[in-house]
Amino acid sequence: EDQVTQSPEALRLQEGESSSLNCSYTVSGLRGLFWYRQDPGKGPEFLFTLYSAGEEKEKERLKATLTKKESFLHITAPKPEDSATYLCAVRTDYGGATNKLIFGTGTLLAVQP
Amino acid sequence: DGGITQSPKYLFRKEGQNVTLSCEQNLNHDAMYWYRQDPGQGLRLIYYSQIVNDFQKGDIAEGYSVSREKKESFPLTVTSAQKNPTAFYLCASMVTSGGPQETQYFGPGTRLLVL
C-alpha cells in the first residue's frame, strides 16, 4: 500500500537554529514529491516539487532534497515567520490519468524568537 | 488575479440538513479535487474530477456529492448522510497537460461546523 510518513510530528526551534523535516514514502512508482506550507486556518501553499532522486530545490531559507526512499526539508537559520505546518505529498504512477496525491500528516514547526 | 476561491469561509449545518460548499477557479485547470482535513490526520480525498461532466469517488466519498458542469466550478454537497461533517474542507485544482506545471494548488478552505 502506498504510504507517506512525516517526522517529527512537531518541532520547536530557536530562531537561527537549523534543522530538517523528514518525509519517507513507500509507493509503487513516484511521479513527483510535493512540499506545502500550511498556516492555521488557511489552505496549503505550494513550495516545491521534486521528481527524481538527487534533485534539490531551494527557496529562501528552505531547501528540499529527494532520495529513493525519502525527502528532507532543510530549514536554515529559521525565523518566527517560518512557523507553520509543513505537508509532504507524493503522486504515484498508477498507469492511468488519476493525478491523485497521497499526503502525510504534516510536521508542525514552531520557531521561537 | 488567478486563483481558487472557496465560499463561505465558515458554514454551519443543522441536523438533517444538506449544505453546499463552493469552489471556483480561474486558472484554466482541468482537474479539481475536494479534500477533508481533520486534526492529526493527513488530507483525505473526497471526490475528484479530471474533466467537465465527469468525476470519481475518492477515499471517503460516503455522505458527499459533487457536480462538474463547468470547468471553473466544482461544488461539494455535504448531505445528511455524513454523520461527522465537522472538518476543514479544501478544494484544489491542477493542470494535467504534463510537465512541471502539474502541481495541485489549493483554495483558502471552508470550515464546516455542526449546530
Side-chain angles (χ1 to χ4, degrees), chain A residues 32-49:
Chain A
L33 185 140
F34 304 84
W35 283 100
Y36 291 86
R37 169 192 170 127
Q38 187 176 25
D39 292 303
K42 297 188 176 181
E45 173 190 347
F46 170 71
L47 294 174
F48 304 109
T49 307

Side-chain angles (χ1 to χ4, degrees), chain B residues 16-62:
Chain B
Q17 185 181 40
N18 292 353
V19 292
T20 298
L21 286 62
S22 170
C23 177
E24 303 278 334
Q25 55 99 0
N26 61 4
L27 300 168
N28 199 33
H29 286 174
D30 299 302
M32 296 187 74
Y33 306 81
W34 274 106
Y35 292 92
R36 170 180 173 142
Q37 188 174 36
D38 296 279
Q41 298 194 40
L43 274 67
R44 293 184 290 168
L45 184 64
I46 303 173
Y47 268 98
Y48 64 103
S49 168
Q50 299 194 94
I51 195 169
V52 174
N53 293 322
D54 187 41
F55 49 83
Q56 288 79 40
K57 293 182 179 180
D59 301 318
I60 56 165
E62 185 175 350

Side-chain angles (χ1 to χ4, degrees), chain A residues 13 38 63 82:
Chain A
L13 299 174
Q38 187 176 25
K63 179 180 178 180
D82 295 321

